[in-house]
Amino acid sequence: MPSAAVPPIGARLRAARRRHGVSVRGLAREIGVSASLISQIETDKSSPSVSTLYAITTALGISIEDLFGDGPIGESGDAEPDIDDDLVRDEPSGPTDRPEPSLALLAAHGVGGTALAAPANAAVLANAAHRTLEHRRERRLGPVVTPEQREVLTLDSGVTWELLGQIPHKHVDFLLITYQPGGSSSSSGMVMRHSGTEFGYLVSGELTLTLGFDTHRLVAGDAVSFDSSIPHALRNEGTVPAVGVWFVVERSA
């Protein structure tokens, strides 16, 4: 059955990056990809792989659930203003790990407005981002979600995620995942790691799970659970789609 379309996630990732106070080049350097790939993802010219998406959301301090729904992260109406990437410096300064955002950047996001006279600092921007993300996480999806109501993210390498439910302020990614034949969590074959704990149940098909130094062949009916900080990867080496129900519980939850 058809599922509800989710608007492209590029604008939401771009909004989160700008609120985080980091440039395209800075984010690319932090997660080990090219700046052109980040730019292509933010302009929806390319879809991220599972591993790249987790790397971006981890670096920006947002969850996968923040990418579902309408509009940029933390916004309920107007699109994110277009800000020159050069307004955000690449290199950190001072005792913090992040550069201080410029007054122009803060003003463009409506932080402080005309009353903002003192020099800006990263804590102001971080607090603003936290408030907008918390507002977004108040969204409720359910208690019953029919197949046609599912919000779907289409990722690179033949992978789709369907959001099965969301409870306000409960940071759990409740997903129906589908790996098409040949699909994998990373187009380059690399493993990934991120915060949280994963619980999965394979409904149909087969998946190969790389977990640390071990490889596991999962068939329909198998269940898995592991700490997401352990390097891992999923791939479908079979000839039919692999479908599973997955829970990813954030460490902060």
Side-chain angles (χ1 to χ4, degrees), residues 24 28 41 57-58 60 62 65 70 75 114 116 126 129-130 143 148 156 163 165 173 213 220 229 253:
V24 169
I41 290 172
T57 55
T58 298
L60 299 180
I62 61 177
E65 67 182 14
D70 297 327
E75 298 291 333
T114 57
L116 186 61
H130 177 75
E148 64 273 11
D156 189 24
L163 187 62
D173 301 324
F213 295 104
S229 66

Side-chain angles (χ1 to χ4, degrees), residues 21-96:
V22 66
S23 69
V24 169
R25 295 185 298 277
L27 177 59
R29 184 168 56 245
E30 183 171 349
I31 68 174
V33 300
S34 67
S36 62
L37 176 59
I38 298 295
S39 179
Q40 289 172 10
I41 290 172
E42 290 189 355
T43 55
D44 297 308
K45 295 178 181 177
S46 178
S47 297
S49 66
V50 174
S51 58
T52 299
L53 187 60
Y54 267 118
I56 292 174
T57 55
T58 298
L60 299 180
I62 61 177
S63 70
I64 296 300
E65 67 182 14
D66 294 321
L67 300 179
F68 288 92
D70 297 327
I73 292 175
E75 298 291 333
S76 57
D78 297 336
E80 184 73 9
D82 190 14
I83 300 174
D84 189 338
D85 193 44
D86 290 337
L87 286 176
V88 186
R89 290 170 288 171
D90 283 339
E91 301 299 333
S93 60
T96 62

Side-chain angles (χ1 to χ4, degrees), residues 131-150:
R131 289 194 298 271
T132 54
L133 288 178
E134 284 304 305
H135 174 74
R136 183 176 185 84
R137 288 172 178 173
E138 291 176 359
R139 191 172 73 109
R140 168 76 173 180
L141 185 62
V144 176
V145 179
T146 61
E148 64 273 11
Q149 293 173 325
R150 295 177 194 156

